[in-house]
Amino acid sequence: MGLIDNRIPVHMEKTPGGGVMMTRLASLLGKVPGVNAAVNEAKASSMWYMLFGLACCAIELMATGASKYDFDRLGMIFRATPRQTDLMIVAGTLTLKMAPRVKLLYDQMPEPKYVIAMGGCTIHGGPFYHDSYSVLKGVDKIIPVDIHVAGCPPRPEALMNGCLALQDLIRTEKLGHDRDRPGLRQITERQVPGMPPINHLPPGGALIRPNEIPILG
Amino acid sequence: MALKLEQIRDRLRARFPEHIIVEDLNNMAALVIPQEIYHDVVWFLKSDEELDFDYLEFETCADHPPDLLAFVCYLRSLGHGHRIALKINLDRNQPSLPSLADLYANADWNEREIFDLFGVIFHNHPDLRRLMMPEDWTGHPLRKDYLHPNVVKRPD
């Protein structure tokens, strides 16, 4: 589970008596030497991800979670409810029909929360970019994405690399400060000789309501 | 005993006076039957003891603009081992057929899918809603002339 963050008091305001206390605690703690790094290390070492797969990338996600690659050594275990998760790995093709549901699941996750877009479909539609009427071309049109992992599907090593990149991202955070989201995006990809790196990703991260999913080409 | 296609056709012709012809349909011979007797034909195919088509394999459509929408269904007899394809040529502008859901339970979702993607209206269907696309979707995506703003044409 996640640790305290500047955003949590916003959610705790509904709890009588708790909100003000937590706000002071977080901003004070961040000034104590070493606390920031310790909290970040705790966050990065226990990224619980949602048990949630959309298409064939989910097979690679399962393989990464199984014993050979073993997500557990990063402190990552799956939870079957969004209320207990820190990380959403969007693994697979996101259709327009599924998109509002994914947005709902993301909204149900408590802060701090992170998103890994796994595979070409979640980055820009992948093989369904052309001639497809039902696929959302890029999951970052509905939720902010922290890490993109390219591949179709990515191998478990690539997904593992994405999770390590996310850990590095978490270690740069500061208690009591808004996370710079979704500007902080990193791309991990297998370098193919002669191919340019992916630098034409759609601008991402605008938070919109489920009924306002843009239908864009 | 498994019947040949000609034997099935002859039994149907003996029962129904309407025009029933055999057409080659992608390496499989199909019986083209008129729209009006479609439900009666399937009922006969299912209830006749020697035919005994007790299993509806699949229902689908093929779109041939501008006028033709071809409905195809595959029936199989698990006891006898024979198989048949029925083809009904529909009016593409107002396609409609009687539902087979009263004869075969699996026709329910097959026909919902065809209604969703091709726009064929099935009469007497118990629950004719969209199956795959969102409930508020407009249009029928597998029609050849279907256009949607989400579609990016593949460059030639």
Side-chain angles (χ1 to χ4, degrees):
Chain A
M1 294 278 299
L3 281 162
I4 50 169
D5 179 273
N6 60 312
R7 282 172 180 264
I8 284 187
V10 179
H11 296 275
M12 290 191 64
E13 274 180 351
K14 291 173 186 170
T15 311
V20 181
M21 288 286 291
M22 292 302 288
T23 307
R24 284 181 180 164
L25 194 62
S27 56
L28 284 176
L29 273 176
K31 290 173 183 161
V32 180
V35 170
N36 201 36
V39 169
N40 282 346
E41 197 59 37
K43 278 191 210 170
S45 305
S46 65
M47 300 186 293
W48 292 6
Y49 64 99
M50 206 190 303
L51 181 61
F52 161 65
L54 296 175
C56 31
C57 275
I59 303 295
E60 296 296 309
L61 174 62
M62 285 181 258
T64 320
S67 54
K68 181 167 180 178
Y69 295 96
D70 198 10
F71 258 158
D72 207 356
R73 61 198 165 120
L74 302 183
M76 297 174 65
I77 51 175
F78 59 82
R79 306 301 295 167
T81 162
R83 304 287 187 199
Q84 299 176 354
T85 50
D86 311 298
L87 170 64
M88 171 187 262
I89 301 176
V90 187
T93 313
L94 185 60
T95 60
L96 292 173
K97 192 175 182 179
M98 189 68 188
R101 279 79 170 175
V102 169
K103 180 74 169 67
L104 179 69
L105 285 174
Y106 177 78
D107 288 343
Q108 286 175 338
M109 290 165 63
E111 291 279 356
K113 51 188 171 185
Y114 307 90
V115 177
I116 290 180
M118 179 183 180
C121 294
T122 58
I123 294 175
H124 61 286
F128 307 107
Y129 181 77
H130 288 119
D131 295 342
S132 167
Y133 53 86
S134 60
V135 173
L136 183 72
K137 286 150 190 172
V139 67
D140 52 6
K141 287 179 178 169
I142 54 167
I143 54 178
V145 175
D146 295 286
I147 303 287
H148 291 82
V149 181
C152 188
R155 280 191 57 85
E157 293 92 334
L159 180 58
M160 206 61 122
N161 190 19
C163 294
L164 293 175
L166 180 59
Q167 286 190 338
D168 291 343
L169 197 69
I170 292 172
R171 291 192 180 103
T172 63
E173 289 181 1
K174 285 185 178 156
L175 267 181
H177 287 78
D178 267 344
R179 189 150 65 90
D180 189 8
R181 184 169 56 185
L184 284 176
R185 298 198 313 177
Q186 297 186 10
I187 303 160
T188 67
E189 60 177 330
R190 279 176 287 174
Q191 281 294 330
V192 181
M195 291 288 288
I198 294 179
N199 53 8
H200 56 276
L201 291 175
L207 274 169
I208 55 166
R209 283 186 285 278
N211 57 355
E212 292 177 352
I213 293 170
I215 297 175
L216 299 173
Chain B
M1 190 188 76
L3 296 178
K4 290 201 169 69
L5 180 78
E6 287 73 23
Q7 294 171 296
I8 297 171
R9 179 198 60 193
D10 292 341
R11 288 186 71 86
L12 277 177
R13 277 181 177 166
R15 170 76 185 236
F16 297 95
E18 282 86 354
H19 192 52
I20 295 175
I21 57 171
V22 177
E23 184 181 299
D24 189 41
L25 188 79
N26 287 341
N27 301 325
M28 182 179 175
L31 291 180
V32 183
I33 55 178
Q35 188 175 346
E36 295 77 30
I37 58 167
Y38 161 64
H39 193 274
D40 293 339
V41 165
V42 177
W43 178 84
F44 176 69
L45 288 172
K46 186 185 179 188
S47 54
D48 188 87
E49 276 190 12
E50 284 186 40
L51 295 171
D52 192 27
F53 283 95
D54 50 0
Y55 178 48
L56 174 68
E57 284 189 348
F58 190 56
E59 291 173 289
T60 187
C61 265
D63 189 20
H64 301 285
D67 296 322
L68 178 63
L69 191 66
F71 173 87
V72 181
C73 70
Y74 296 92
L75 296 165
R76 184 185 281 276
S77 167
L78 296 176
H80 297 306
H82 48 235
R83 184 166 179 255
I84 195 177
L86 300 178
K87 181 180 171 191
I88 299 101
N89 293 326
L90 299 174
D91 176 15
R92 191 169 179 276
N93 297 315
Q94 282 187 326
S96 70
L97 269 182
S99 169
L100 292 186
D102 53 343
L103 298 175
Y104 303 98
N106 63 330
D108 186 341
W109 278 30
N110 268 321
E111 288 168 357
R112 277 179 65 187
E113 180 185 350
I114 295 171
F115 163 71
D116 189 357
L117 301 178
F118 288 97
V120 180
I121 306 292
F122 288 94
H123 300 301
N124 300 325
H125 190 281
D127 183 25
L128 196 62
R129 286 177 294 129
R130 285 185 181 274
L131 181 64
M132 294 181 167
M133 305 308 293
E135 288 82 1
D136 54 351
W137 197 264
T138 55
H140 305 287
L142 287 193
R143 293 280 190 108
K144 299 265 192 213
D145 54 359
Y146 178 77
L147 286 176
H148 191 268
N150 197 26
V151 173
V152 181
K153 287 299 287 181
R154 188 179 294 277
D156 295 325

